[in-house]
Amino acid sequence: MSYERLKQRFAQFGQEQVFGYWEELTESERASLAGQATEVDLDELQRLLDETGRPTAEADLEPAPCVALPGDRYHDRTWVEARERGEELLRDGKVAAFTVAGGQGTRLGFDGPKGTFPVTPVRNKPLFQVFAEKIRAASNVYGVAVPWLIMTSHANHDETVKFFEDAGFLGLSREDVHFFRQGRMPAVDFDGKILLESKSRLAMSPDGHGGSLRAMVRSGALEKIRDRGVEMISYFQVDNPLVRVLDPWFVGFHAGQGSEMSSKMVRKAHAGEKVGVFCLRNGRHVVVEYSDLPDSLAGARDDRGNLRFAAGSIAIHLINTAFIERVAGGAVHEKGKLPFHSAKKKVPYVDGSGEVVSPSEANAIKFEMFVFDALPEARHPLVLETQREAEFSPVKNASGPDSVETCIRDQLKQFARWFRSAGVELPVDGNGIPLYRVEVSPLFSTDRESFRDAWSRLPEKPAIRDGLYVE
Ligand code: UTP
């Protein structure tokens, strides 16, 4: 589109300020600004601006039904059957791994893609390496190459790919790892005007993890894995090294119910815990954010005194490829069906005098899609309970809750449980936290049962000591 047409179009939407410094720009700056402006879907943005602030319709919420964890999932008949079904699908190459790694990671404040952040207690392996080793472990067990999709952002794409190249693709085959960039959305001020981050650049940010579905379609990544016979993707966040990347139980339950999208849940620790909750809204599965769940429901209890709305979302899903095509596919520029959420944020911007201002308070609205908004569109959705300590310890913050400290502590506790199941007690402090730093490679085992087996087969057991690495 020529500059004149672009400018005219932005003016029609009251967004001509975007070109306010055009006369001062060099040729290459003009080209980059015009390129960014072309990326913005002004109709979509206008629709969102019209909707912002409109109250959402009240709806009846009920707790979503969940498949509860039995006392012993290794022996419960339904769980054993699910696992066998899942293992068959994994052996048949029907499942791909999928990491969303396009976030900005502002809370962690780490200089680099979050997936390159070191998290393990002994070897300091970066998050991507932990996932790569879990994928390699599954490939070994199921005798099949598992494709791995990684969604990056414009900001971290090149650095992410370089990290993999420098690390020899972490022991995986290059052709099994598929990177694709997620989409972006412009940030607007409270009057709905698109902000500039510099005179020649719009303030653009990633369009949320929900953007992954349409980005997967648009980038061609979905088609690539469908061509390989993949029928479902195992979705997880880049910040949670405890995740069971390819979980035969989950796959089995998902397939057994004919679900198009399934999710894992953990029981909320307390009524006010800040996690989204699986609910039924007008009979359809949804995740209601903690801030949208009325206190009367968040604190409601059943006759046994348990929280009624207890199923906390931990952002682990199985999503069928055919469903992704349906919910986010179509012609390349056709809109995905997921709604956008708006959030007030601090966004640096160029003011009327051409100065860059770093606001101390929220000054802008960002728009993001959430992947769990696909849930109400899915046929036969399933919610499966898992143990928090076994599968969820995200690294969100630089310190305090959900930080690398809590994540290392949770990994150590998990390794200690595995050792205990093999008859080895690690020394612990008064809070049950191991006093030694130990680490088990995912290539040795990925859960308690496989640890016990692998440990029992070791001809010589290593001495238990601080810094022990089992591989
Ligand atoms: P978070 O909600 O923790 O956001 O993302 P974040 O951007 O990583 O971190 P903060 O809020 O700035 O501190 C949860 C998961 O979703 C991915 C993240 O990479 C992480 O795996 N994500 C989030 C995306 O891939 N794209 C997005 O636009 C947002």
Side-chain angles (χ1 to χ4, degrees), residues 100-108 114 151 182 206-209 235-239 368 396:
V100 282
Q104 293 175 303
T106 29
R107 283 170 288 174
L108 185 62
K114 210 183 211 184
M151 184 176 78
Q182 71 177 105
D207 61 0
H209 43 66
Y235 170 108
F236 55 94
Q237 301 194 155
V238 74
D239 53 24
E368 288 196 5
K396 299 276 187 201

Side-chain angles (χ1 to χ4, degrees), residues 381-428:
L382 174 128
V383 182
L384 184 72
E385 182 179 2
T386 187
Q387 281 160 316
R388 183 189 296 258
E389 62 271 25
E391 212 174 349
F392 187 58
S393 187
V395 179
K396 299 276 187 201
N397 304 307
S399 57
D402 292 342
S403 64
V404 68
E405 283 154 60
T406 54
C407 182
I408 286 184
R409 183 200 63 199
D410 290 343
Q411 291 174 68
L412 290 175
K413 286 168 92 173
Q414 183 174 61
F415 296 141
R417 288 194 301 274
W418 293 357
F419 272 102
R420 187 168 313 124
S421 80
V424 180
E425 281 298 331
L426 300 185
V428 293

Side-chain angles (χ1 to χ4, degrees), residues 200-417:
S200 63
R201 298 192 63 75
L202 306 185
M204 302 281 272
S205 49
D207 61 0
H209 43 66
S212 60
L213 303 186
R214 68 181 184 181
M216 195 183 289
V217 177
R218 288 176 185 180
S219 65
L222 185 72
E223 198 179 336
K224 270 195 205 139
I225 57 166
R226 288 189 85 177
D227 287 348
R228 287 178 62 160
V230 169
E231 290 177 2
M232 65 186 84
I233 55 159
S234 173
Y235 170 108
F236 55 94
Q237 301 194 155
V238 74
D239 53 24
N240 178 24
L242 254 53
V243 62
R244 287 196 191 103
V245 168
L246 295 151
D247 178 352
W249 282 285
F250 192 28
V251 170
F253 275 111
H254 171 82
Q257 172 153 323
S259 163
E260 287 186 316
M261 176 164 176
S262 300
S263 307
K264 285 200 184 166
M265 71 86 162
V266 297
R267 287 191 185 278
K268 272 174 63 170
H270 53 89
E273 193 185 1
K274 292 183 173 175
V275 288
V277 174
F278 291 99
C279 299
L280 293 179
R281 175 185 282 142
N282 303 328
R284 297 202 150 260
H285 282 69
V286 290
V287 173
V288 177
E289 287 180 272
Y290 65 88
S291 47
D292 292 339
L293 190 67
D295 289 348
S296 56
L297 297 187
R301 301 204 172 254
D302 63 19
D303 8 323
R304 275 177 293 162
N306 298 321
L307 287 177
R308 284 190 68 222
F309 291 85
S313 173
I314 52 170
I316 299 175
H317 311 280
L318 280 168
I319 316 176
N320 285 0
T321 48
F323 174 62
I324 296 174
E325 183 69 51
R326 201 175 83 229
V327 87
V332 172
H333 293 296
E334 193 184 311
K335 318 231 172 336
K337 294 197 185 96
L338 302 193
F340 275 94
H341 298 250
S342 58
K344 292 185 177 161
K345 301 266 169 147
K346 284 188 269 186
V347 176
Y349 67 102
V350 177
D351 69 7
S353 58
E355 295 299 316
V356 177
V357 180
S358 289
S360 52
E361 284 181 13
N363 63 315
I365 298 175
K366 281 189 180 179
F367 297 100
E368 288 196 5
M369 287 180 273
F370 298 153
V371 75
F372 51 71
D373 280 330
L375 212 49
E377 308 286 331
R379 296 186 193 120
H380 312 300
L382 174 128
V383 182
L384 184 72
E385 182 179 2
T386 187
Q387 281 160 316
R388 183 189 296 258
E389 62 271 25
E391 212 174 349
F392 187 58
S393 187
V395 179
K396 299 276 187 201
N397 304 307
S399 57
D402 292 342
S403 64
V404 68
E405 283 154 60
T406 54
C407 182
I408 286 184
R409 183 200 63 199
D410 290 343
Q411 291 174 68
L412 290 175
K413 286 168 92 173
Q414 183 174 61
F415 296 141
R417 288 194 301 274

